[in-house]
Amino acid sequence: MGGSAPKNTTQTTEQRLPPWLDAYAQDTLDFSKEVADRPLQQYDGERIAGFTPDQLAAQQGVRGMQGQTGNFLQGLAGGAQGLAGYQPQQVAAGTLPGTDLGAYMNPYLSAVETGALAGLEQQRQTAQNSLADRAISARAFGGSRQALQAGVTDATAAQKAGELSAQLRSGAFTNAQAMAQQDLTRGLQAGMANQSAGLQGAGLNLQALGLAGQLGQNAQQANYTDIAALEGIGGQQQQLDQANLDQNYARFLEQWNYPTQQLQTRLAALGGTPYGGTTVSTMPQAGGMSPAMGALGGAMSGAATGAAVSGPAAPIGALIGGLLGAAGGYASTRR
């Protein structure tokens, strides 16, 4: 078939934003510059809560207790060391040979002995008189028979006197010996009791020292418990103070970031507003995305790029990136 080849045609278009949107975008760019040009404002308030009076008092209480219990226990250790060298009372048993039995003899022994011998003498004389009477009756007074009987009577009386005296003195000695032995036994028992009491007293003193040491440690622990309670109260007060400081700092950040949040709101509204375009001139026609959509896509891409910035500057970086993207897309529609 005959015919002419198609000619290349060009079409030039200009994408214009609506006046109301163009004004809003320009105002947003101006506001972003104002936000970006703000000077750094550092927070001059307190950030960390200091120690409370209760905490300081608790710390001073711990300082004041340093060495007290140690010195107290050291004094008790000295007392225990003294008891370690305790020597119990020495007890020795007494003996009869070393005991004066004269003190135990009956002080009336001589009087008893004299009376007993006098009675025996009276019996002898009565016997002699009886022999004489019988001799007279038999008309043999003064004879050899009477003399023999009188001698026998005297000898018997003398023997009885000796036996009586020996018996009295032996009984007194035996009684004195028994009483001395009783005193020796009681003395030994008393000495052993005193020795046992001394040992028991030393043991009680040692137990008292141990109890005093335990009580001292208990007192120290009780003081630490009171101090810990006081420190706990101070800790609660400190937490409250820290919460107030944190709240003040949060309010400062809220006030500082408020313009940035306003800018984010404007950018979100700008990027989400649909609009059309008007053809004004010709340009080489080519397929692809609408310049207006390219401007919107550039704004969103720029915002995503700015949001990749980490750290405290991330919100500002995202806003600036979004603005730059929007500005680039909008500039492409003006070509």
Side-chain angles (χ1 to χ4, degrees):
M1 296 179 59
S4 60
K7 296 180 179 179
N8 294 330
T9 61
T10 59
Q11 182 180 8
T12 303
T13 60
E14 180 182 358
Q15 190 71 31
R16 293 181 179 177
L17 295 175
W20 61 270
L21 184 57
D22 184 64
Y24 186 81
Q26 187 61 46
D27 185 61
T28 300
L29 288 174
D30 294 339
F31 183 62
S32 68
K33 184 177 182 304
E34 180 182 347
V35 172
D37 291 343
R38 286 184 305 171
L40 176 63
Q41 181 180 353
Q42 295 184 345
Y43 182 71
D44 57 358
E46 295 290 338
R47 291 293 310 280
I48 299 177
F51 290 120
T52 65
D54 287 335
Q55 287 177 317
L56 294 175
Q59 295 171 4
Q60 186 60 38
V62 174
R63 292 190 186 97
M65 290 177 58
Q66 298 304 304
Q68 291 183 357
T69 304
N71 294 334
F72 176 71
L73 294 178
Q74 187 175 4
L76 295 180
Q81 186 176 4
L83 289 176
Y86 174 77
Q87 295 293 331
Q89 178 184 356
Q90 299 297 320
V91 178
T95 60
L96 280 175
T99 304
D100 181 16
L101 296 181
Y104 295 92
M105 296 296 289
N106 189 346
Y108 303 103
L109 176 62
S110 297
V112 172
E113 183 181 19
T114 299
L117 292 177
L120 185 61
E121 176 62 19
Q122 184 178 4
Q123 291 178 3
R124 184 189 68 79
Q125 291 178 359
T126 301
Q128 291 289 3
N129 292 334
S130 178
L131 287 175
D133 289 341
R134 286 197 298 271
I136 292 173
S137 297
R139 295 181 179 183
F141 181 78
S144 59
R145 182 178 177 80
Q146 181 186 0
L148 180 60
Q149 290 178 344
V152 171
T153 300
D154 289 341
T156 302
Q159 182 181 0
K160 289 183 177 180
E163 292 176 351
L164 179 59
S165 178
Q167 183 179 4
L168 290 175
R169 292 183 177 276
S170 176
F173 177 79
T174 300
N175 185 56
Q177 188 180 37
M179 289 189 296
Q181 184 63 48
Q182 291 176 359
D183 285 347
L184 290 174
T185 301
R186 284 194 293 267
L188 178 61
Q189 292 174 346
M192 294 179 64
N194 291 334
Q195 183 187 62
S196 178
L199 291 172
Q200 185 178 6
L204 291 176
N205 290 336
L206 188 59
Q207 292 179 2
L209 290 175
L211 179 60
Q214 184 63 44
L215 291 176
Q217 292 178 348
N218 292 343
Q220 182 191 47
Q221 186 61 42
N223 290 335
Y224 278 132
T225 301
D226 293 341
I227 290 175
L230 184 62
E231 197 277 335
I233 296 175
Q236 294 176 352
Q237 296 171 346
Q238 186 184 45
Q239 290 177 0
L240 180 59
D241 293 342
Q242 186 63 54
N244 290 330
L245 294 178
D246 292 342
Q247 186 179 36
N248 293 336
Y249 182 65
R251 289 176 178 174
F252 167 79
L253 292 179
E254 181 180 4
Q255 182 179 2
W256 174 257
N257 292 328
Y258 182 69
T260 304
Q261 295 173 357
Q262 288 180 307
L263 183 57
Q264 286 178 334
T265 302
R266 294 177 69 94
L267 286 175
L270 182 62
T273 302
Y275 56 87
T278 304
T279 300
V280 177
S281 61
T282 62
M283 63 179 294
Q285 185 176 5
M289 183 182 300
S290 169
M293 295 304 295
L296 179 58
M300 297 178 65
S301 176
T305 302
V309 180
S310 61
I316 299 177
L319 295 175
I320 295 175
L323 288 173
L324 291 177
Y330 175 72
S332 66
T333 64
R334 307 284 278 180
R335 288 196 294 268

